[in-house]
């Protein structure tokens, strides 16, 4: 995640439960640990995703000083960056799908191990946050309904599914379109899924990798996505209003492919 006006501060999530802050305005900065995630019993928990809202988003429940994070377990927490680092800092907001266990250390069919946050995204102009779960679905939460961390978690407003997200733990989720009309996410079967945000209907399915599609990032204003998986190639695709055909003998939908990182390497050589 990036914060600090125009992205001068970078936040990174780590598997050991630590969130690091790097200020790009400071030369040779080695970073600062601002948060350590632990369970109520003091057990170390990983942080797999961290995100900050757009500084121009003035929706209810949104602040430019917020940091939202998640990892193992069903709970997503939002903190005030101005209060960190502080061991006693409490979350400002908590989000949790109502069908998942209520606490991080609760034993319920092993879900506290199998379900974890794999991706987070704030809306740019609405009070809304997307959460993609490994082993489960994608959920949308309204920040205006967010409960205080001491009072429990806010349940989802809606959910999306149909895709498989279990093999890798870093599948991002993103809004897509000039007005964020769509939501995009990768799956274990090498496809990028695109849903209509309002209706929840699947509007496009594009083959974007050889094995697993881990994530995608939208162009700021054109109908294009930069997609990646577990290989070393990034694909830039033009996404139209149609389903792409599934080709078992091809790793990527050639009708949508515009550019690959391999092509850039060949040009440089």
């Amino acid at each position: 995640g990036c914060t600090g006006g125009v992205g001068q501060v970078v936040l990174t999530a780590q598997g050991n439960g630590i969130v690091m802050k790097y200020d790009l305005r400071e030369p040779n900065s080695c970073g600062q640990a601002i948060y350590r995630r632990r369970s109520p019993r003091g057990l170390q928990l990983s942080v797999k995703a961290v995100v900050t809202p757009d500084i121009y988003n003035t929706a209810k429940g949104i602040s430019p000083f917020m940091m939202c994070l998640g990892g193992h377990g069903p709970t997503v927490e939002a903190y005030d960056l101005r209060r960190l680092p502080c061991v006693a800092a409490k979350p400002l907001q908590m989000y949790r799908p109502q069908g998942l266990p209520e606490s991080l250390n609760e034993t319920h069919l092993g879900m506290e191990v199998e379900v974890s946050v794999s991706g987070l995204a704030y809306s740019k102009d609405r009070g809304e946050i997307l959460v993609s779960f490994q082993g489960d679905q994608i959920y949308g939460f309204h920040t205006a309904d967010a409960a205080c961390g001491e009072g429990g978690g806010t349940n989802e407003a809606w959910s999306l599914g149909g895709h498989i997200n279990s093999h890798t733990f870093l599948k991002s989720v993103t809004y897509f379109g000039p007005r964020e009309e769509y939501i995009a996410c990768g799956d274990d079967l090498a496809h990028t899924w695109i849903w209509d945000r309002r209706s929840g209907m699947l509007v496009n399915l594009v083959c974007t990798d050889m094995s697993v599609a881990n994530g995608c990032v939208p162009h700021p204003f054109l109908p294009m996505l930069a997609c990646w998986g577990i290989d070393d190639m990034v694909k830039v695709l033009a996404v139209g209003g149609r389903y792409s055909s599934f080709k078992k003998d091809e790793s990527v939908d050639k009708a949508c492919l515009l550019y690959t990182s391999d092509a850039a390497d060949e040009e440089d050589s």
Side-chain angles (χ1 to χ4, degrees):
C2 293
T3 184
V6 291
Q8 300 101 326
V9 177
V10 177
L11 304 178
T12 63
Q14 298 186 178
N16 59 3
I18 296 176
V19 175
M20 296 292 295
K21 181 179 75 171
Y22 300 89
D23 194 331
L24 303 181
R25 295 164 294 187
E26 298 179 1
N28 304 320
S29 173
C30 59
Q32 176 189 15
I34 62 171
Y35 177 79
R36 287 175 170 83
R37 186 169 184 252
R38 297 188 181 276
S39 72
R41 293 188 297 178
L43 300 177
Q44 178 178 293
L45 298 171
S46 69
V47 178
K48 296 184 177 182
V50 59
V51 67
T52 57
D54 191 290
I55 61 172
Y56 301 108
N57 189 342
T58 58
K60 186 176 180 181
I62 296 289
S63 164
F65 302 104
M66 289 176 62
M67 169 188 75
C68 193
L69 59 87
H72 281 299
T75 305
V76 174
E77 301 170 342
Y79 290 86
D80 190 333
L81 286 167
R82 295 169 295 184
R83 300 180 182 178
L84 299 175
C86 177
V87 177
K90 300 293 184 181
L92 298 174
Q93 303 166 351
M94 294 178 67
Y95 304 94
R96 183 188 309 112
Q98 57 183 344
L100 299 183
E102 293 188 359
S103 66
L104 290 170
N105 60 347
E106 179 181 349
T107 301
H108 179 68
L109 299 178
M111 296 180 73
E112 78 285 352
V113 176
E114 297 173 5
V115 175
S116 61
V117 175
S118 65
L120 294 167
Y122 270 110
S123 170
K124 291 183 178 180
D125 53 14
R126 290 190 302 271
E128 191 172 272
I129 184 169
L130 293 177
V131 184
S132 175
F133 283 91
Q134 180 185 11
D136 203 62
Q137 304 183 87
I138 296 171
Y139 295 90
F141 298 89
H142 292 158
T143 58
D145 301 330
C148 173
E150 298 179 355
T154 300
N155 295 143
E156 73 276 12
W158 46 265
S159 63
L160 297 170
H163 64 305
I164 301 175
N165 178 8
S166 60
H167 290 171
T168 56
F169 62 89
L170 290 177
K171 288 191 180 68
S172 64
V173 62
T174 185
Y175 290 96
F176 181 48
R179 297 180 178 86
E180 300 181 335
E181 302 96 327
Y182 307 101
I183 292 169
C185 181
D187 75 352
D188 290 346
L189 301 178
H191 285 74
T192 294
W193 294 54
I194 302 176
W195 295 270
D196 182 274
R197 177 186 162 274
R198 290 186 177 273
S199 67
M201 293 183 61
L202 182 67
V203 296
N204 211 324
L205 187 65
V206 185
C207 187
T208 56
D209 196 74
M210 296 180 63
S211 55
V212 177
N214 275 334
C216 54
V217 174
H219 190 279
F221 52 86
L222 295 177
M224 296 164 57
L225 285 171
C227 305
W228 66 91
I230 60 175
D231 58 17
D232 57 358
M233 182 189 300
V234 175
K235 284 76 64 176
V236 178
L237 304 103
V239 183
R242 64 170 182 82
Y243 286 100
S244 67
S245 58
F246 177 72
K247 310 177 184 66
K248 292 185 178 180
D249 58 335
E250 293 187 11
S251 59
V252 178
D253 189 337
K254 305 303 188 211
C256 298
L257 185 63
L258 295 178
Y259 181 85
T260 69
S261 56
D262 279 4
D265 294 340
E266 293 176 1
E267 290 177 3
D268 293 339
S269 61

